[in-house]
Amino acid sequence: MCSGLHFLPIGLLLVSLTTFCLTYIVSVLRKDVNPVLPYISDTGTTPYESCLFSFFLNLSAVLAFSTVYVRYRWVRIVTDEGRSLRCHNILAVVAGWLSALGLTLVANFQETNLEGVHMTGAAMTIGCGILYMILQTLLSYKMDDTLSLSRLRLVMTVVCFLTAASFLFATLAAKSQRSDSVDPLHWSSSDQGYGAHVTAAISEWLTCIVYLLFYATFVQDLKRTSMVVSFHVSTIAESEGIKV
């Protein structure tokens, strides 16, 4: 039996933030990016930091996948799960899993190698992640969670949506203004579109941090949650209905 499943969201938060900080430090020390406000993906696109980025983000994806499933099961257990609540819960687990899948694409397909796949993964991670936050916030109100917790999730969802929108529009603006001669991993203050780039980078970091902190709101509930895994091995004789 595995008790105290709150280690899943805590592990997701710690592993992800440690990954971002570690790859940032390594990429700056190796001078692969400028130290002032690089995109998160920029810090994990060049070897050797790309290896760390892929390994630990894959671990984060596993933790996210597990947390989403455990949260889904928790909602089913503690509620009578009427039709509306059941639909919201199923949609939430699908959105959460798609977000985790997107994270694996971000981890394994660097933007300088396969930008299309990388950006698809980023869109899945953020887009489906925000949808997951919206659905979990709705579930909080439907389940009559403590008002403070429901309001906290609502505030975090709104903040994450706004920062994600800012990241999207600022990134598009920075790319449209950037000269072809500018190295996208080494922006300088004199480059055209630098202001939009800074806005996009800040927005991206805030979006990811708020999204990860949202998972931390599950900690209190999962502290009281345990999981039992059982295995049953049947012999060939048993499966054929033969008494032995």
Side-chain angles (χ1 to χ4, degrees):
M1 182 178 72
C2 183
S3 61
L5 294 178
H6 59 290
F7 75 88
L8 290 172
I10 292 176
L12 172 62
L13 177 64
L14 293 179
V15 170
S16 300
L17 292 181
T18 300
T19 302
F20 298 155
C21 293
L22 182 61
T23 55
Y24 170 80
I25 293 171
V26 174
S27 60
V28 168
L29 291 177
R30 289 174 50 83
K31 298 182 180 180
D32 290 328
V33 297
N34 281 345
V36 180
L37 295 173
Y39 293 123
I40 294 175
S41 295
D42 289 350
T43 66
T45 193
T46 307
Y48 297 102
E49 55 266 31
S50 63
C51 302
L52 298 172
F53 192 77
S54 296
F55 177 80
F56 286 107
L57 276 195
N58 281 324
L59 179 57
S60 293
V62 172
L63 290 170
F65 187 95
S66 302
T67 302
V68 168
Y69 178 73
V70 171
R71 172 67 178 177
Y72 162 77
R73 295 290 299 177
W74 184 88
V75 172
R76 289 193 58 183
I77 291 170
V78 302
T79 65
D80 56 4
E81 206 179 31
R83 182 174 181 181
S84 176
L85 196 63
R86 187 185 306 115
C87 289
H88 279 86
N89 199 22
I90 293 173
L91 288 174
V93 74
V94 171
W97 281 349
L98 287 175
S99 180
L101 176 61
L103 188 59
T104 64
L105 296 179
V106 170
N108 297 298
F109 299 91
Q110 286 75 33
E111 59 179 341
T112 53
N113 296 324
L114 289 171
E115 185 177 11
V117 179
H118 181 87
M119 296 308 295
T120 299
M124 288 175 60
T125 302
I126 297 176
C128 294
I130 292 176
L131 177 58
Y132 180 72
M133 295 172 72
I134 293 172
L135 291 168
Q136 286 297 336
T137 301
L138 290 175
L139 284 172
S140 293
Y141 281 99
K142 284 179 174 291
M143 293 189 304
D144 295 325
D145 266 345
T146 57
L147 189 58
S148 59
L149 184 58
S150 298
R151 286 176 174 173
L152 174 61
R153 287 176 179 155
L154 177 60
V155 169
M156 295 176 78
T157 301
V158 172
V159 170
C160 198
F161 177 82
L162 293 176
T163 55
S166 174
F167 166 64
L168 174 62
F169 291 119
T171 299
L172 293 175
K175 285 189 175 182
S176 65
Q177 298 173 30
R178 187 187 69 202
S179 171
D180 293 337
S181 61
V182 174
D183 183 353
L185 298 181
H186 295 86
W187 285 81
S188 66
S189 57
S190 60
D191 295 331
Q192 289 185 342
Y194 181 75
H197 163 73
V198 170
T199 301
I202 293 175
S203 299
E204 182 188 33
W205 281 89
L206 288 176
T207 299
C208 293
I209 291 172
V210 173
Y211 179 51
L212 290 170
L213 288 174
F214 186 88
Y215 280 90
T217 64
F218 301 150
V219 168
Q220 195 60 38
D221 294 333
L222 299 189
K223 273 185 177 180
R224 305 188 300 271
T225 305
S226 60
M227 177 177 64
V228 178
V229 179
S230 61
F231 296 92
H232 174 72
V233 180
S234 61
T235 65
I236 296 177
E238 288 175 338
S239 65
E240 293 176 348
I242 300 175
K243 294 182 179 181
V244 292

